Each structure stands twice: as C-alpha cells, then as structure tokens.
Amino acid sequence: RRVLFRSAMVAQEIELRAIIVDYYRSQMVSSKHYYTLQAGQKPALSKEGALNLCSLFKVRVSAQSPCEQFHADGHYSVRYRVHLVSMRSGEVIADGDASCSTRESKYAYRWVKATDVPPFLDTASLASRKGRYGMQYRIPTPDLADHFNTVLKMAYKRAIVAAALCLPLVSELFTQDIEEAHLAAHISPDAAPSATPDQATPQRATS
C-alpha cells in the first residue's frame, strides 16, 4: 500500500507539472506575464503572471495591513504580507512578504539636465551620465511624498509575486520578479526615471 501511495503521489506531481508547463506555454505572454533578460535563465514572474497562476491554482489574494514607517528624513518604507487562500477550503496555501522604500535609488534620486541642478549642489560631486541632449546629473528627489503611494503598491505587488512563487512547482519555472530591472533596461538615458505604475489598490499611504 505504501508503494502504491508513493506511486500515486509521483503520478499526481507529474500531472501537475504538465498542467503548469502547458499553461505557461499556451496562456502566458512574454513581457506581460513574465520577463527574460538573459538567455538560459529562468523567466521572472510579473504581477500579472502571478495573478494568472493564482487563478490556475484556485487561490485568492488576502493581504494583511501594511507595516508603514515614515522616517524623520522624509523617506517612507513599507512591508506587506499576503496570503494565498484556497477558494475551496479557505486554507492558506502560501505566503509572501515584500518591502519597498523611497530609499531605493529610482525613488530617492532623479536625473536632470545641468540647468535643472539646484544652485546649492555642485555638479562635480554628483553622479553623471551622457544623454542624447547632453550631460545629466543625479540629484536627490525633493518631493519624496509623491512616491509614497507608488512605493506602497510596489511592496504589495512584490508580495503577491513572492507568494505565487511558493505555489507547488512554480519556482521550477520562474524566478523572483525582475520586472523593474526589465523596465529600467529599456529606459532611455534622456528620460527621467519614474515609478512603475501598478494596478493594485492596497490601502493608500498617508503622511
């Protein structure tokens, strides 16, 4: 009986793997549900792809209240935990934790032309790069609060992806979310960095 039980479990896992691989190949779209930056590496799962897999596994996303911290220097950090709950049994199938902060470089700094560098900053001491229309300089973001809600949504998105990767066999096909890196690789040096928009609607951050 024990041998038969093990054989049945192996057969069940093989069937589940085949279903996931077929779903990945037939239903998931590159650069939307997943991203590949280098050949030979596992694709990185996006939020949209994570939600599609949640639908396949018949689980729903349940988020705890975000843990927010407003720092004295004006920065904002937030951590999210989400649970993936079975629609059939109500059991928690997987968890995901993630954080985001305005201290991350794409929020903490921005690239500007020399004429837009504040007079109290010395361009010689700033990171610089050459764009199509001349040199650009990296300066601290003066309006960090404008990014608070985007940072909140980003933490929520990252937590969903982290949880989806904990679903059975999903991590065999995908790696952690590098959607932001994918987007950054396609941003022109002449474009000012901006926060990635997100369609999630978690609790809004307020100061």
Side-chain angles (χ1 to χ4, degrees):
R1 291 182 180 180
R2 186 171 299 177
V3 173
L4 290 175
F5 175 75
R6 289 177 179 174
S7 297
M9 293 294 293
V10 170
Q12 185 177 6
E13 184 164 326
I14 292 173
E15 181 181 7
L16 178 59
R17 180 179 285 105
I19 291 172
I20 297 173
V21 170
D22 180 63
Y23 186 84
Y24 161 57
R25 291 174 176 172
S26 64
Q27 303 299 318
M28 301 184 75
V29 180
S30 177
S31 296
K32 180 181 180 181
H33 300 123
Y34 60 89
Y35 298 89
T36 303
L37 294 183
Q38 294 185 11
Q41 292 187 346
K42 289 190 292 185
L45 190 63
S46 71
K47 179 198 159 197
E48 288 75 11
L51 292 176
N52 277 21
L53 290 172
C54 287
S55 177
L56 175 66
F57 279 89
K58 305 300 180 187
V59 295
R60 61 179 177 82
V61 177
S62 176
Q64 294 183 352
S65 296
C67 179
E68 299 174 284
Q69 186 173 2
F70 296 90
H71 303 280
D73 60 0
H75 280 282
Y76 166 72
S77 302
V78 59
R79 174 172 291 278
Y80 249 109
R81 165 169 283 194
V82 303
H83 308 292
L84 300 185
V85 182
S86 170
M87 295 180 184
R88 297 188 179 95
S89 66
E91 294 181 62
V92 174
I93 305 300
D95 297 295
D97 288 277
S99 63
C100 191
S101 172
T102 55
R103 295 188 190 278
E104 296 179 22
S105 61
K106 68 175 181 178
Y107 304 118
Y109 301 96
R110 63 176 54 174
W111 291 96
V112 300
K113 296 181 295 184
T115 53
D116 294 326
V117 175
F120 57 85
L121 293 177
D122 180 8
T123 56
S125 64
L126 300 174
S128 62
R129 67 184 183 184
K130 188 174 182 180
R132 186 179 305 173
Y133 303 108
M135 293 301 296
Q136 294 180 328
Y137 298 90
R138 193 177 78 162
I139 66 171
T141 300
D143 46 3
L144 288 171
D146 289 350
H147 293 305
F148 286 4
N149 198 52
T150 299
V151 166
L152 178 72
K153 291 180 178 181
M154 186 60 70
Y156 179 65
K157 186 199 79 167
R158 291 172 179 174
I160 291 175
V161 172
L165 287 171
C166 293
L167 291 169
L169 305 177
V170 171
S171 62
E172 288 191 14
L173 288 176
F174 300 100
T175 186
Q176 60 185 345
D177 189 14
I178 50 172
E179 179 179 353
E180 298 155 73
H182 172 87
L183 292 172
H186 292 78
I187 293 177
S188 165
D190 297 295
S194 58
T196 304
D198 191 277
Q199 298 301 315
T201 54
Q203 179 178 329
R204 191 181 185 90
T206 56
S207 56

